[in-house]
Amino acid sequence: MPTQIAVITGAGAGIGRAAARALGRAGFDIALLGRNEDRLKETAENLAKHSVRSLVIPLDVSDAKAVQDAAERIETELGPISVWANCAGATVVGQVAALSADDIRRATEVTYLGSVNGTLAALGVMRRRGQGAIINLDLAPNLRGMPLQAAENGARSALRGFCESLRPELLHDADNIRVVMVDLPAINTPHYGWTRNLTGKRLKPVGPVYEPEVAAEAICRAAFSTSRSISIGATNSFAALWHMVAPGCREARMAEKGYKAQMEHDWAEGPQPDDLYKSVPGSFGAQGPFDEHSRRLDSPLTFFVPSSLRAGIFGALTAMGLTALMAHIRNCRKS
């Protein structure tokens, strides 16, 4: 049986680098896409130690033609693509009133259009065989609507809507191509140090934070899943329920706690290099600086919730609530 081929964008560091290792262990050969060629080569060297073939293609995912050309090159040099994971992203953090239109546009080009470009490139080659899996990243429900994060929230919301429209089109055309969203909580990656930051303080993760290997495992599971999405931990499911039931209360709490939750006490030491327009130089791995607070794969609080299970849980809770309401109504009538 020939080795399957996976493509990972943003593979030089963070979640993309961890995903390359996870999919390599799962038996895939890996095409590594990203802006920083040196870090892509480091990832490739790490994969080679485990006998995983790889192909390094430096590019900016916002360049649609470059991504399309990369897909054709991968098909020629590695083989038929069966999994494509869009892990590249860039953003700017700050109040909307302080953001520039250029920065918002650039964040959208990388995070939203970069994932769209990857999805289109994947569809172009996967449809030749009528099968494959495309994996896109979304924010976990507890991170959606977070203040100071309008640029990323907007890009991820657009990507979510794009995928929701794409799925019925694939069903209509009878293509066995799955589009899976991975709803990510805070992940301990280097991006907290290189995100364009207008707050004046150093950034930190919000809520439960997980190691990038946890995100990589979710991506690996998504490659074989029939679910529409995969979440990590229980917090995301409860946050989704809270968002549906009491959105006003949630917004009020975010207004009160959301700023402080994202920033360290110390002020940043002057302007720091960021990756919004070009890659930050230097060697970075998958992990960021928050190891002490991060949940690992072997943590009892680390578990994966596919959308099918989450729907079942919500259905059961709804049924319980309706049953209790009907019982209450009957008791009131009797009295």
Side-chain angles (χ1 to χ4, degrees), residues 25-334:
R25 287 194 299 270
F28 289 85
D29 287 335
I30 313 293
L32 306 167
L33 279 56
R35 288 183 291 180
N36 191 301
E37 186 173 6
D38 291 338
R39 289 203 288 267
L40 293 177
K41 288 180 177 178
E42 289 176 1
T43 305
E45 290 171 3
N46 182 267
L47 293 174
K49 293 177 182 177
H50 300 280
S51 302
V52 177
R53 285 194 309 152
S54 62
L55 175 64
V56 169
I57 304 180
L59 54 75
D60 190 323
V61 294
S62 66
D63 184 339
K65 186 177 186 307
V67 178
Q68 294 280 356
D69 291 344
E72 296 296 341
R73 180 182 169 189
I74 294 162
E75 291 262 317
T76 301
E77 297 186 25
L78 277 186
I81 298 167
S82 53
V83 173
W84 188 298
N86 291 304
C87 300
T91 189
V92 53
V93 176
Q95 284 192 308
V96 171
L99 303 181
S100 73
D102 287 341
D103 286 355
I104 294 174
R105 183 180 65 250
R106 176 58 180 168
T108 305
E109 287 173 348
V110 178
T111 304
Y112 171 58
L113 291 179
S115 296
V116 169
N117 292 338
T119 299
L120 294 176
L123 287 174
V125 295
M126 288 178 180
R127 275 187 152 161
R128 298 169 185 171
R129 298 170 290 275
Q131 61 183 0
I134 301 171
I135 302 165
N136 286 313
L137 305 185
D138 195 1
L139 294 173
N142 66 309
L143 299 181
R144 296 173 192 171
M146 188 71 65
L148 308 177
Q149 298 285 350
E152 181 162 15
N153 266 280
R156 297 296 178 188
S157 296
L159 182 58
R160 195 181 317 131
F162 175 83
C163 292
E164 287 173 355
S165 289
L166 173 59
R167 289 191 190 99
E169 292 180 9
L170 294 172
L171 287 172
H172 175 271
D173 294 344
D175 283 319
N176 188 26
I177 299 173
R178 294 171 289 110
V179 179
V180 187
M181 300 292 288
V182 176
D183 301 332
L184 291 180
I187 304 294
N188 175 32
T189 70
H191 91 273
Y192 293 98
W194 68 36
T195 293
R196 176 158 293 195
N197 178 10
L198 307 183
T199 69
K201 293 190 174 183
R202 289 181 295 172
L203 301 175
K204 66 177 182 179
V206 177
V209 55
Y210 294 82
E211 289 289 8
E213 287 75 18
V214 177
E217 176 64 19
I219 290 170
C220 196
R221 291 184 182 218
F224 302 99
S225 174
T226 57
S227 294
R228 298 170 70 256
S229 66
I230 294 178
S231 297
I232 298 170
T235 305
N236 297 330
S237 298
F238 289 125
L241 184 61
W242 187 20
H243 184 75
M244 288 189 296
V245 174
C249 293
R250 183 173 183 269
E251 289 171 1
R253 181 169 177 80
M254 283 193 170
E256 180 184 359
K257 305 288 187 180
Y259 283 66
K260 184 178 179 180
Q262 299 180 70
M263 295 182 285
E264 301 278 11
H265 294 296
D266 301 331
W267 292 93
E269 297 176 357
Q272 301 294 315
D274 64 73
D275 73 336
L276 187 58
Y277 290 92
K278 59 183 179 180
S279 177
V280 175
S283 179
F284 294 91
Q287 275 77 19
F290 302 99
D291 285 342
E292 294 182 3
H293 310 289
S294 299
R295 297 175 181 175
R296 305 178 187 278
L297 267 174
D298 57 0
S299 167
L301 296 174
T302 299
F303 53 89
F304 303 91
V305 184
S307 55
S308 54
L309 176 59
R310 186 167 62 248
I313 293 172
F314 285 173
L317 290 174
T318 302
M320 291 170 60
L322 290 174
T323 301
L325 178 61
M326 294 300 294
H328 176 69
I329 293 173
R330 283 196 300 267
N331 290 335
C332 289
R333 286 178 177 175
K334 289 178 182 179

